[in-house]
Amino acid sequence: MVGFARRCRSRALPGRRASLSRTVTGTLAVLTAAALISGCDPVGAAGGSDAGTGSTGPSTDPSRTTACTRFFGDADYHEAPAWRVLEGAAVIAGTAGAGPSDGSPATAVASEVETAFADAPEDTREAAGAVATWLRTAPAPGEHADLDAFAGTWQGLAESCTPDSTAATWTAGHGQQGAKPAALVCAETFTAPSTLSVFADRDQVVPHLTAIAGASPQAVPVSAATEVAEASDLLTAQSVAVDDPAVAAALREVRTPFQDALQGDLDSPGLHDPLTELGAACTAAGYDVPDPLAGTDTDPSDGGTA
Amino acid sequence: MSSRAEALDHLVRGIVDSPDEVQVTEKSTRRGPLLEVRVGPADLGRVIGRSGRTARALRTVTAALSDDDVRVDIVDVDRR
């Protein structure tokens, strides 16, 4: 994987850290390893960017380019077959009893993946086949389905479609910071399922954000501390990745109540106006968002849950 | 700097391209202790990671080193 060694390198403890106690240092060694194992997967996609890690050279196979761009929805991202697959994976992972069986939606999207790449080169067909296999055979449907394993197959397909598809390139973690197409960022925010985000379900990101910070003013639930931090991260990652300053600025406005909550201020003014701004910025950038608050509960009497 | 802040500082420096730009600051807020992580703008995405996994791992490690409910905030340089 491009850049893997660089991202996962470890440095020796500098001299000024010698004051750390032996116990803490030993603990650090173990925890550093754990953190690096957890954290040194490829970065990019909806929640991060892999700044400085260039993608591979241009594809040499037009059939791969055609299959990959069509599947990942390049370059307008309004209708990406990839999202139906992500939704199918979310259904398997999130709904007990919705697992693979002949005729199930998961089986249908598995077939869709294979069909989409039927004319692609063998390595890409195999990567797509791995995704389809997970969809058909995820061993324990429902809450025990291994979404991390799915993410691994998805990553493999994205790698195989890099650099043919821009969306795949970002999914694989090879996008250049500040160069992510606004349409892709907007699609990931308003349209794509949250399967591989921190929220890990079939809903879009926006309803999750309003569930935490409200569309109208509300208190951010104290119990949502983890979601608040990770929503802030997600919005930060998108704002530094996107190539459109107006979309970046609007994303930062959406992020404000999450960052305020991290600082201890749980009074959210609501996301109605920031999301409306973001929708307008996306529309101006070429990704039409007719209703930025679609799918959210805009009733101010609802205190919101997270 | 507390030991957990120092540990977090060390971990983040191991991830980024510009370790000299890493700053970890511990603050006390109404909701308890907060560790703010500042990195160079080009390293922000790297510290957060794909789907926020790197940031999540950093929070997990920091929590493991803490007796209280410390929070970790990856601070964007463009924060208002």
Side-chain angles (χ1 to χ4, degrees):
Chain A
M1 181 181 303
V2 176
F4 181 84
R6 183 164 63 93
R7 282 195 297 279
C8 293
R9 71 193 180 286
S10 183
R11 294 189 174 95
L13 281 171
R16 68 182 180 81
R17 296 189 205 301
S19 60
L20 280 174
S21 71
R22 179 169 296 182
T23 301
V24 170
T25 304
T27 304
L28 264 180
V30 174
L31 293 177
T32 299
L36 292 177
I37 289 169
S38 301
C40 285
D41 54 5
V43 293
S49 64
D50 188 10
T53 304
S55 60
T56 55
S59 172
T60 55
D61 195 313
S63 67
R64 177 171 16 236
T65 303
T66 300
C68 291
T69 56
R70 195 173 288 166
F71 182 75
F72 283 98
D74 301 283
D76 61 27
Y77 307 108
H78 276 286
E79 290 288 341
W83 295 340
R84 289 195 290 276
V85 179
L86 288 175
E87 188 172 358
V91 169
I92 289 176
T95 309
S101 64
D102 287 343
S104 74
T107 299
V109 291
S111 297
E112 185 170 350
V113 178
E114 290 170 329
T115 302
F117 291 95
D119 296 327
E122 184 178 0
D123 59 332
T124 304
R125 279 204 316 276
E126 287 177 356
V131 174
T133 298
W134 186 92
L135 290 163
R136 288 199 178 96
T137 64
E143 61 185 89
H144 302 299
D146 186 356
L147 202 51
D148 282 343
F150 171 78
T153 66
W154 195 251
Q155 172 77 15
L157 179 57
E159 288 281 356
S160 186
C161 282
T162 299
D164 304 77
S165 156
T166 301
T169 300
W170 277 95
T171 297
H174 301 309
Q176 296 289 339
Q177 205 168 71
K180 189 172 185 176
L184 178 56
V185 170
C186 295
E188 288 177 348
T189 305
F190 287 106
T191 311
S194 301
T195 309
L196 297 179
S197 80
V198 59
F199 304 113
D201 67 14
R202 64 189 297 181
D203 294 334
Q204 294 84 11
V205 168
V206 165
H208 286 292
L209 299 180
T210 56
I212 299 168
S216 304
Q218 73 170 41
V220 174
V222 174
S223 60
T226 300
E227 290 84 351
V228 166
E230 297 198 6
S232 176
D233 290 347
L234 185 154
L235 292 164
T236 297
Q238 293 285 40
S239 70
V240 298
V242 71
D243 65 358
D244 184 292
V247 173
L251 284 163
R252 289 195 289 271
E253 287 300 313
V254 173
R255 186 186 59 190
T256 296
F258 298 93
Q259 293 196 322
D260 288 347
L262 284 168
Q263 297 287 330
D265 178 4
L266 298 178
D267 294 328
S268 166
L271 295 174
H272 180 278
D273 290 350
L275 284 174
T276 302
E277 270 183 44
L278 178 59
C282 286
T283 299
Y287 188 86
D288 191 28
V289 184
D291 182 5
L293 287 125
T296 67
D297 183 355
T298 55
D299 180 359
S301 65
D302 181 358
T305 56
Chain B
M1 188 184 288
S2 67
S3 60
R4 66 185 176 193
E6 198 159 351
L8 182 60
D9 181 275
H10 167 66
L11 290 171
V12 173
R13 285 174 193 269
I15 293 169
V16 300
D17 276 341
S18 303
D20 291 345
E21 294 187 56
V22 173
Q23 273 189 312
V24 176
T25 311
E26 184 154 4
K27 294 173 63 176
S28 179
T29 75
R30 275 185 286 168
R31 291 184 52 217
L34 174 68
L35 291 172
E36 288 188 336
V37 178
R38 287 180 168 79
V39 299
D43 283 321
L44 203 49
R46 191 180 305 285
V47 171
I48 292 171
R50 180 171 64 90
S51 301
R53 289 185 180 199
T54 305
R56 198 174 309 148
L58 292 170
R59 290 192 176 96
T60 300
V61 172
T62 305
L65 291 172
S66 305
D67 295 327
D68 51 12
D69 288 331
V70 66
R71 287 165 292 123
V72 175
D73 185 12
I74 314 295
V75 178
D76 181 4
V77 290
D78 286 324
R79 173 173 291 185
R80 69 191 169 93

